[in-house]
Amino acid sequence: MHTSISEILKEKSLKPSRRSLPCLAQSQTHPINLNHFLSVPLSPDPKPDLDDLTEDVKDSYIEETEVSTCETRANPTFLPQKPVSRAKLGTRADSLQGKKQSDVSGLLFRDGKKRIDYILVYKKSSPQVEKRCTFEKNLRAEGLMLEKEPSLTNNDIMFVKVHATWDTLCKYAEQMNIRMPFRKKCYFTDWRSKTLGRFHLRCQQIKSWLPKNPMKLDKEALPDLEETECYTAPFSRARMHHFTINNREMFFSNSTRSRIVHHVLQRTKYEDGKSKMGINRLLGNNTYEAAFPPHEGGYKSRHPIKTHGAQNQRHLLYERWARWGIWYKYQPLDLIRRYFGEKIGLYFAWLGWYTGMLIPAALVGVFVFLYGLFTMDSSQVTRLFDNGGTVFFAIFMAIWATVFLEFWKRRRAELTYDWDLIDWEEEEEELRPQFEAKYSRVERVNPISGKPEPFQPFSDKLSRLMVSVSGIFFMISLVLTAVFAVVVFRLIAMEKFASFNWDFIQKNWQFATSGTGVCINFMMIMSLNVVYEKVAYLLTNLEHPRTESEWENSFALKMFLFQFVNLNSSTFYIAFFLGRFAGRPGSYNKLFNRWRLEECHPSGCLIDLCLQMGVIMFFKQIWNNFMELGYPLLQNWWSRRKMKKGGGGGGQNVENKTQLPQWDKDWNLQPMNAHGLVDEYLEMVLQFGFTTIFVAAFPLAPLLALLNNIIEIRLDAYKFVTQWRRPMPARATDIGIWHGILEGIGVLAVITNAFVIAITSDYIPRFVYAFKYGPCVDKGPHHIDECLRGYMNSSLSVFDMWELKNSSEIRYCRYRDYRAPPWSTAPYEFTLQFWHVLAARLAFIIVFEHLVFGIKSFIAYLIPDMPKDLCDRMRREKYLMQEMMYEAELEHLQKERKKNGRRYHHEWP
């Protein structure tokens, strides 16, 4: 029997799951000030005053001057427009002070009604007037409204305010398949759900008696974004009556409006020809200086947020996310997503998840370090990092990496459902304008949409890919060359420090060599990173990726390969090659027959590896934090200093920054990185590699990563909210190619840690000695320290100094190796103990890898990528959506029949 949707609505619902897009028509949970700030005044236009009339005359004069200039663009003797005098700018500043607060804030057009959705910035002295005029003319033809304003800080700067009309928003929302609120949610309940609902209710009552979690945000100061929820469907103008539209100005959110305008800007022509289109090309040829959506006002307020509420969403983000004083609080992910878009929201969700998962790893690492600290003795400093706990920690971190990635998949699935991104990727993936312009002559029918679209021939794609791969291998070879140069430097420094006049350096020449080598290597790493970024950008553009996600994935992969090899090549050298080919006393191997190859520290190669990792990880995190926050702070400070002095183009002296409109304030902020979130992800993924790949040599790496990430979250938040212009709110369903890179690092970490424990550390030689050559052989179980008595003497070989034909009073010396003594029948040949140790090392690698990979695969199998209850909710929602759409169409047809007095025969598609 068919059950109508109206009957389902009558059922008692469970507590709704969080969902991203609320019913804006019913939501009244914003703070009062925030509602007032976000609303658009609907009152009639006030009577214009003299300042407004003067302002309109001046702006119309500017636009008419440009139009007349465009009409005479064929004249080669064209001169730039004469800049506005400082007196006129002063008059304009006075008129701004006399306006309403909504106008001064810089979020509306001069009429106080039209919302500013995007800002374009150009220089009046730019010679690209023809392209700009054609572009703006075509923007108006697409349905966008433009309004120009001169800058108050620079006479040469002109701002173009862009507003998308209702018809334009509806048109492109349909083309872009943007999902909009349709009907209020209803939830099906059965006996099991009702029982669980009562159980959860009792659990909530018990929790209310317990102390509040200090890490949770105060909900009273946050707008409840999910209290009233709606189902969503792709927007359609033909079925507009299905959607909840009570206020056209508030139906499309600010981020959605900015995305639609950005879509138009990317596909509008500025010259005749298929390849002459897009704001990116105009930014590249300096027709425009910048293009960005405006911030929603200031991020600070004179009044406390607890008593007066938030002035706007930017202020709310600063108070509840970007301030350093709330570093221990959870992140307001839904608010981040609403203001910056799903792509940036997913980045901070992943970063927060990664930071939280580092807590158990850091605790176990500290325990392993303390175990080594209390079990070592003065004669064996290497036991600090080289002990039995190291093997356990390496296995633990391999399992930890798997658990982290598997549970992140579940968390991502919940976020994509809450943020309404389940079907977005298939519906809204758009071609890059550069790809469309390059291959517009060759078209092929898309097998999914059935529509013709530009097509890149396979031969062209293969040739470009081969050039890109060749560039990648060239840059990797350049990295290896730099590592070889560092090795040569260490050999020269070793020789100099060994004969240094200062006794302290002469006695500790190996530490001095390692320390200076690490510092030189770090400087080379940071210098080469600048070159790699430019090369990766050029190679990615050469490939002409089809979509933005493909471009980002290709660029991210190149950047990761370059920087991973650059960062870890010297670490791999120390772990697996340092001291392996140095030779023995009397027969040392030399580079170019001049410099003796470097050996490990007498306490073992693990100490050199630990020093290398500690120094690079510590200094790289400090440098990254400075470049992310310190550099933008210095640039913004310099911009404010020039504004106060009236420099940078002859602008007036602006003493109080609050007098500036929002577009001027945003222009003086720093733009977001040209590569989006690639640099942010890259930094964290490289840190993840450092935390897992060589964790057997440095168990404190997770602790350092945890401390850095706690700072990183608030640093990035502060940077996004206060120091950067507002980025275009982009959408994404996952973290892209970075998830595959993280899985690859997890596999590499298992192999690397197996080799570090087996080859670099002394764990296997001690194990072989204890059970084959030590005093505990055939005596049953004993304490490990008793079984290792005599191990140091067993690991040293004897060399006859008199073979060097010198007059040394000491005839025999000891060195680390498993070789026969000079008085044996086969002097200096490898002993049987060497082959036993080698066999044990190979066996350990095989057993360790198979055991850990088996555990990782089993855990990945046990943890599903999507929670079962989420799958049930998605299937139930799909069914309810079909029912709702069907009944909504029937209701609409019935209303039309009653209105027109005749029957309609309409078949639902």
Side-chain angles (χ1 to χ4, degrees):
M1 181 177 179
H2 181 72
T3 304
S4 66
I5 198 67
S6 59
E7 295 177 359
I8 298 177
L9 286 169
K10 295 179 181 178
E11 297 185 7
K12 184 179 179 180
S13 62
L14 291 174
K15 181 180 179 181
S17 61
R18 299 188 315 115
R19 193 65 183 262
S20 63
L21 200 50
C23 283
L24 297 178
Q26 301 174 7
S27 178
Q28 298 178 355
T29 55
H30 292 277
I32 297 177
N33 290 350
L34 188 59
N35 267 334
H36 175 73
F37 184 87
L38 296 177
S39 63
V40 179
L42 300 176
S43 58
D45 293 340
K47 295 182 179 180
D49 56 12
L50 184 59
D51 292 333
D52 292 334
L53 291 176
T54 307
E55 180 181 338
D56 294 338
V57 170
K58 280 187 279 190
D59 288 321
S60 62
Y61 165 74
I62 293 172
E63 294 183 6
E64 290 175 1
T65 305
E66 283 211 6
V67 172
S68 62
T69 305
C70 293
E71 294 175 353
T72 60
R73 57 184 178 270
N75 186 1
T77 61
F78 147 80
L79 294 175
Q81 180 183 344
K82 183 179 179 180
V84 183
S85 65
R86 184 171 299 186
K88 290 185 178 180
L89 283 176
T91 306
R92 174 155 182 77
D94 295 337
S95 66
L96 275 174
Q97 293 178 5
K99 289 187 178 183
K100 308 183 295 183
Q101 183 63 28
S102 60
D103 295 336
V104 178
S105 64
L107 298 177
L108 304 173
F109 272 35
R110 287 191 294 272
D111 61 2
K113 294 182 179 181
K114 299 182 185 65
R115 183 184 306 177
I116 300 176
D117 299 317
Y118 229 84
I119 298 292
L120 304 179
V121 186
Y122 68 87
K123 288 184 177 180
K124 290 182 283 187
S125 60
S126 172
Q128 307 288 350
V129 178
E130 179 182 355
K131 296 179 181 179
R132 185 173 65 250
C133 292
T134 304
F135 183 70
E136 292 176 1
K137 177 182 178 182
N138 292 334
L139 288 180
R140 292 187 178 95
E142 291 291 336
L144 299 182
M145 300 185 68
L146 308 181
E147 189 175 75
K148 297 186 178 181
E149 296 278 357
S151 172
L152 298 183
T153 60
N154 192 325
N155 287 345
D156 195 31
I157 295 297
M158 180 68 72
F159 297 100
V160 181
K161 300 178 288 184
V162 183
H163 169 76
T165 62
W166 170 255
D167 293 336
T168 305
L169 292 173
C170 293
K171 172 186 174 182
Y172 284 99
E174 183 176 8
Q175 291 184 10
M176 299 169 65
N177 288 319
I178 296 177
R179 302 180 71 90
M180 300 304 296
F182 173 66
R183 288 287 181 91
K184 186 177 180 180
K185 275 194 172 183
C186 59
Y187 297 88
F188 177 77
T189 57
D190 55 8
W191 67 270
R192 183 179 302 176
S193 300
K194 293 178 181 179
T195 304
L196 292 176
R198 289 192 293 267
F199 175 74
H200 287 306
L201 181 61
R202 292 181 180 178
C203 291
Q204 291 295 332
Q205 293 176 352
I206 296 175
K207 286 184 178 180
S208 63
W209 301 337
L210 301 176
K212 293 183 178 180
N213 186 356
M215 299 178 68
K216 289 186 177 180
L217 289 166
D218 184 10
K219 292 186 177 180
E220 296 179 357
L222 283 174
D224 192 351
L225 303 180
E226 286 74 37
E227 183 174 347
T228 55
E229 300 177 343
C230 289
Y231 290 110
T232 60
F235 185 79
S236 172
R237 288 177 291 177
R239 301 185 179 94
M240 193 177 297
H241 52 275
H242 292 173
F243 297 91
T244 307
I245 307 176
N246 282 15
N247 186 347
R248 289 186 172 186
E249 297 296 335
M250 302 299 296
F251 181 65
F252 293 102
S253 64
N254 288 346
S255 58
T256 303
R257 297 173 68 98
S258 298
R259 277 200 302 123
I260 292 175
V261 173
H262 180 77
H263 176 87
V264 178
L265 294 176
Q266 288 281 66
R267 283 155 179 80
T268 301
K269 293 183 179 181
Y270 58 86
E271 280 185 4
D272 294 334
K274 293 185 178 180
S275 62
K276 306 296 184 180
M277 67 176 182
I279 187 64
N280 289 342
R281 289 179 176 268
L282 293 177
L283 292 172
N285 59 26
N286 296 325
T287 301
Y288 288 97
E289 299 296 318
F292 52 87
H295 276 296
E296 297 182 7
Y299 64 89
K300 287 186 177 181
S301 175
R302 298 178 181 177
H303 307 289
I305 190 173
K306 291 184 178 180
T307 57
H308 292 74
Q311 289 186 342
N312 51 71
Q313 290 186 4
R314 188 187 184 195
H315 179 216
L316 187 62
L317 278 172
Y318 176 77
E319 292 290 338
R320 293 295 177 259
W321 180 49
R323 284 195 305 112
W324 297 98
I326 56 173
W327 61 270
Y328 58 93
K329 296 282 188 180
Y330 292 137
Q331 300 183 87
L333 295 178
D334 293 313
L335 194 61
I336 298 170
R337 170 252 177 180
R338 169 167 287 190
Y339 192 80
F340 291 110
E342 288 80 1
K343 191 172 185 178
I344 294 177
L346 272 176
Y347 163 71
F348 282 103
W350 176 84
L351 181 57
W353 185 261
Y354 170 47
T355 304
M357 290 293 292
L358 279 174
I359 295 177
L363 292 176
V364 177
V366 171
F367 287 146
V368 171
F369 176 78
L370 294 177
Y371 171 77
L373 184 66
F374 290 116
T375 57
M376 75 171 187
D377 52 42
S378 59
S379 61
Q380 292 180 329
V381 182
T382 185
R383 290 286 298 275
L384 180 63
F385 300 105
D386 189 1
N387 52 69
T390 302
V391 180
F392 163 77
F393 190 52
I395 298 176
F396 172 83
M397 288 301 297
I399 298 174
W400 171 88
T402 301
V403 172
F404 160 64
L405 291 176
E406 292 300 322
F407 276 98
W408 163 248
K409 292 179 184 178
R410 295 168 62 89
R411 176 60 174 159
R412 185 201 67 84
E414 293 175 353
L415 288 175
T416 53
Y417 173 78
D418 292 339
W419 293 352
D420 207 17
L421 297 170
I422 296 296
D423 301 323
W424 172 80
E425 185 174 4
E426 296 180 357
E427 295 176 352
E428 299 190 23
E429 190 71 15
E430 302 164 0
L431 298 180
R432 297 181 71 235
Q434 294 84 350
F435 181 86
E436 290 180 326
K438 179 68 176 178
Y439 300 103
S440 58
R441 297 180 180 179
V442 182
E443 290 187 347
R444 187 184 68 171
V445 176
N446 190 309
I448 299 176
S449 63
K451 299 178 181 179
E453 66 178 19
F455 172 69
Q456 184 180 15
F458 177 76
S459 58
D460 181 80
K461 185 175 183 178
L462 181 62
S463 60
R464 293 178 180 276
L465 186 61
M466 293 299 296
V467 173
S468 179
V469 171
S470 302
I472 292 174
F473 278 107
F474 173 76
M475 296 305 299
I476 291 178
S477 63
L478 183 62
V479 174
L480 299 180
T481 304
V483 173
F484 180 76
V486 174
V487 172
V488 173
F489 169 80
R490 291 171 67 106
L491 298 180
I492 299 174
M494 178 182 65
E495 181 180 325
K496 299 298 181 181
F497 286 140
S499 58
F500 207 71
N501 294 329
W502 191 7
D503 293 339
F504 177 77
I505 298 295
Q506 190 174 5
K507 292 180 180 179
N508 300 277
W509 59 271
Q510 286 182 314
F511 278 119
T513 302
S514 299
T516 54
V518 169
C519 294
I520 294 296
N521 185 35
F522 174 76
M523 289 187 289
M524 293 186 66
I525 288 173
M526 303 312 297
S527 301
L528 290 175
N529 282 345
V530 179
V531 180
Y532 299 153
E533 183 176 349
K534 296 181 179 180
V535 173
Y537 187 79
L538 292 175
L539 293 178
T540 306
N541 286 335
L542 179 65
E543 295 175 5
H544 285 293
R546 180 174 174 271
T547 61
E548 286 295 335
S549 61
E550 291 180 6
W551 189 96
E552 287 192 6
N553 290 340
S554 178
F555 180 75
L557 181 60
K558 294 180 181 61
M559 287 294 294
F560 171 75
L561 289 175
F562 292 161
Q563 295 208 18
F564 181 81
V565 175
N566 187 27
L567 188 66
N568 293 282
S569 54
S570 58
T571 309
F572 273 90
Y573 164 75
I574 293 175
F576 305 123
F577 298 99
L578 180 62
R580 308 297 171 188
F581 311 101
R584 61 173 180 84
S587 181
Y588 283 115
N589 296 323
K590 295 185 178 182
L591 182 64
F592 304 134
N593 294 324
R594 179 176 180 182
W595 295 297
R596 196 181 103 187
L597 295 182
E598 188 180 2
E599 297 180 85
C600 294
H601 191 269
S603 59
C605 294
L606 210 62
I607 296 296
D608 295 303
L609 181 59
C610 178
L611 178 64
Q612 174 84 7
M613 290 186 60
V615 171
I616 290 182
M617 191 172 185
F618 178 76
F619 283 107
K620 192 174 188 301
Q621 289 179 351
I622 292 179
W623 176 259
N624 288 338
N625 291 337
F626 169 76
M627 292 302 295
E628 286 188 5
L629 183 61
Y631 186 66
L633 281 173
L634 291 176
Q635 287 183 313
N636 290 335
W637 170 82
W638 183 252
S639 298
R640 292 192 299 269
R641 186 172 180 271
K642 289 196 298 183
M643 283 195 305
K644 290 181 179 180
K645 291 187 175 181
Q652 65 171 349
N653 188 353
V654 182
E655 295 293 341
N656 190 359
K657 191 180 178 182
T658 58
Q659 298 177 358
L660 295 177
Q662 191 62 44
W663 53 79
D664 245 323
K665 296 178 183 177
D666 290 351
W667 164 245
N668 289 297
L669 296 177
Q670 297 304 310
M672 187 180 175
N673 294 333
H675 315 310
L677 293 172
V678 172
D679 292 339
E680 311 296 332
Y681 276 115
L682 181 62
E683 178 187 353
M684 291 294 102
V685 170
L686 291 176
Q687 184 202 83
F688 179 82
F690 247 73
T691 306
T692 55
I693 292 180
F694 292 103
V695 73
F698 192 50
L700 294 180
L703 177 63
L704 293 181
L706 174 63
L707 297 177
N708 176 79
N709 287 6
I710 292 174
I711 301 174
E712 180 77 17
I713 290 177
R714 304 304 164 181
L715 186 148
D716 284 346
Y718 184 83
K719 177 178 60 180
F720 271 91
V721 175
T722 68
Q723 301 302 311
W724 277 0
R725 298 171 192 160
R726 187 178 183 180
M728 200 281 294
R731 307 198 84 185
T733 57
D734 52 28
I735 61 176
I737 199 174
W738 298 110
H739 189 275
I741 292 176
L742 291 171
E743 289 183 335
I745 290 177
V747 174
L748 181 61
V750 176
I751 301 173
T752 305
N753 282 302
F755 276 86
V756 168
I757 296 173
I759 297 177
T760 310
S761 73
D762 288 339
Y763 177 78
I764 299 301
R766 287 199 304 266
F767 183 84
V768 171
Y769 176 81
F771 293 95
K772 183 65 177 178
Y773 298 96
C776 298
V777 178
D778 300 330
K779 291 184 180 180
H782 285 76
H783 193 271
I784 187 65
D785 291 336
E786 297 180 4
C787 297
L788 288 177
R789 189 179 297 112
Y791 164 73
M792 185 63 66
N793 185 62
S794 174
S795 64
L796 298 177
S797 300
V798 180
F799 175 69
D800 188 359
M801 297 283 291
W802 288 3
E803 293 183 7
L804 300 177
K805 298 180 181 180
N806 55 13
S807 58
S808 174
E809 297 180 359
I810 302 176
R811 179 170 182 177
Y812 297 108
C813 69
R814 309 294 297 272
Y815 62 98
R816 288 194 56 141
D817 210 340
Y818 294 101
R819 294 181 181 271
W823 55 80
S824 65
T825 56
Y828 305 119
E829 294 293 330
F830 290 117
T831 62
L832 183 61
Q833 186 176 357
F834 169 82
W835 300 109
H836 285 165
V837 170
L838 180 61
R841 283 173 168 169
L842 296 177
F844 175 84
I845 292 173
I846 296 173
V847 172
F848 182 89
E849 289 182 355
H850 283 71
L851 175 64
V852 176
F853 280 135
I855 296 175
K856 286 169 65 72
S857 302
F858 181 69
I859 292 176
Y861 172 77
L862 289 180
I863 304 175
D865 294 346
M866 185 177 294
K868 185 179 182 303
D869 61 336
L870 180 59
C871 295
D872 295 339
R873 291 203 305 268
M874 291 170 57
R875 288 195 292 266
R876 179 64 178 169
E877 178 176 327
K878 187 175 182 180
Y879 166 75
L880 292 178
M881 276 296 301
Q882 292 175 352
E883 291 287 312
M884 285 182 175
M885 296 287 285
Y886 178 75
E887 290 200 359
E889 187 66 17
L890 288 180
E891 292 175 3
H892 176 67
L893 292 176
Q894 291 174 0
K895 291 179 181 179
E896 290 292 328
R897 183 180 61 183
K898 292 180 180 179
K899 179 180 178 181
N900 299 326
R902 58 191 180 92
R903 297 187 62 181
Y904 273 78
H905 297 281
H906 181 81
E907 182 177 346
W908 178 256

